[in-house]
Amino acid sequence: MMFAKRLREGVRRGDITSSVRIWMRPRVTVGCRYRMEEGEIEVDSIEPIGFPDITPALARASGFLGVLDLLKVAKHGKGENIYLVRFHYVPPSRVKAKATALKNKRST
């Protein structure tokens, strides 16, 4: 899951924990992690929503100035389905710790 450059710092700080995406079908899976420049995001939930659910408050919580600003970025390709993705940021140190634990588990 990619984020516009201007949103990445807010994601890393934990200020942005949701994203509205317009896709043909979901492109992320709950519980999976997706790389960022540093660290990863882990998807907590994904739910279909409608245009009336995209409020100015949701747009601001997603890091945008307003609904129009969000909609300019949210659409990817020919998508027509709207999804609200909630996630949390996993810093690089926790990503490395999890990878090390998995590696150790496999070697035993």
Side-chain angles (χ1 to χ4, degrees):
M1 208 166 124
M2 300 294 294
F3 293 92
K5 272 190 175 184
R6 66 184 172 127
L7 301 177
R8 293 176 192 163
E9 184 58 34
V11 170
R12 282 191 287 271
R13 283 193 316 262
D15 296 337
I16 299 172
T17 58
S18 63
S19 181
V20 174
R21 302 294 172 117
I22 303 174
W23 291 326
M24 293 290 286
R25 61 188 172 282
R27 293 188 180 176
V28 296
T29 303
V30 173
C32 289
R33 289 185 177 184
Y34 300 89
R35 288 183 185 252
M36 286 187 54
E37 290 171 342
E38 303 176 350
E40 299 175 333
I41 60 154
E42 184 172 334
V43 175
D44 298 318
S45 67
I46 181 168
E47 63 181 290
I49 62 172
F51 275 112
D53 298 314
I54 305 174
T55 63
L58 177 58
R60 286 190 300 278
S62 299
F64 294 94
L65 299 174
V67 173
L68 292 177
D69 188 31
L70 179 149
L71 291 175
K72 289 177 190 176
V73 175
K75 186 160 180 148
H76 298 275
K78 298 178 182 180
E80 296 178 2
N81 300 308
I82 307 167
Y83 299 95
L84 175 60
V85 181
R86 297 200 186 273
F87 56 86
H88 64 274
Y89 178 68
V90 181
S93 60
R94 287 183 41 205
V95 170
K96 289 178 185 174
K98 183 176 181 180
T100 301
L102 286 173
K103 183 179 177 183
N104 291 341
K105 185 177 180 182
R106 288 183 188 146
S107 64
T108 57

